Amino acid sequence: MEYIKKVPYLLQALLNICLFLLALALSVLLISETWYIMQVVYNSFFVKVDSYYEMLGELLIFFMYFEFIALIIKYFKSNFHFPLRYFIYIGITAITRLIIIDHDQAVSTFWWSVSILIMISALFIANKKKSMEEH
């Protein structure tokens, strides 16, 4: 019966190890994305760039890697807790990238924009609730 009480601690340790490995993998991808962006910028001085939307999409992917790494760091710093607002930031960035890359249909772009507005409203409510708890 004593070993059952140790199961949550074992699972928490496994989760922490997996998140650490994920952070390492995301860091490698972030460095790779940085290198790719630097190459595109360097080449754009000598060759005409075909699509600025693609470059902007790559920058947003860069920020998504950055946000996920920041989320994992915050998880460890806040005693194994994921703050909701970080997920909202990641969602807003992901949908913004989607709108920039795939904006062919006006109706779908409108609905994606509405979803960003909803997430910003949720972020406002979450921050307002947090500031009310501090006072």
Side-chain angles (χ1 to χ4, degrees):
M1 206 55 150
E2 188 67 31
Y3 65 91
I4 292 178
K5 293 181 180 179
K6 293 182 181 180
V7 170
Y9 297 109
L10 178 66
L11 292 175
Q12 184 69 51
L14 181 65
L15 176 67
N16 290 344
I17 291 168
C18 290
L19 278 175
F20 177 75
L21 294 175
L22 178 64
L24 288 178
L26 288 172
S27 297
V28 169
L29 291 171
L30 180 69
I31 292 168
S32 171
E33 192 68 30
T34 304
W35 180 252
Y36 177 75
I37 290 170
M38 288 173 48
Q39 287 178 330
V40 169
V41 169
Y42 177 76
N43 290 336
S44 70
F45 288 121
F46 303 110
V47 181
K48 185 176 176 175
V49 177
D50 291 335
S51 174
Y52 289 104
Y53 294 119
E54 181 181 335
M55 179 62 183
L56 193 54
E58 293 298 324
L59 281 171
L60 289 170
I61 287 174
F62 172 85
F63 283 112
M64 287 180 67
Y65 286 137
F66 187 81
E67 288 173 351
F68 275 115
I69 293 169
L71 177 67
I72 293 171
I73 291 169
K74 190 67 174 174
Y75 170 80
F76 286 112
K77 284 186 173 182
S78 65
N79 199 19
F80 312 119
H81 172 71
F82 284 116
L84 173 66
R85 66 181 193 278
Y86 279 80
F87 286 111
I88 295 173
Y89 295 148
I90 291 169
I92 290 170
T93 304
I95 293 176
T96 302
R97 179 187 179 277
L98 180 68
I99 289 172
I100 290 170
I101 299 299
D102 185 26
H103 55 273
D104 296 336
Q105 297 177 344
V107 174
S108 65
T109 302
F110 170 75
W111 288 115
W112 287 121
S113 301
V114 168
S115 66
I116 290 175
L117 180 63
I118 291 169
M119 283 192 280
I120 290 172
S121 300
L123 187 61
F124 176 76
I125 292 168
N127 286 337
K128 185 133 178 123
K129 182 179 178 187
K130 183 180 175 184
S131 67
M132 290 176 67
E133 289 174 356
E134 291 174 357
H135 291 296

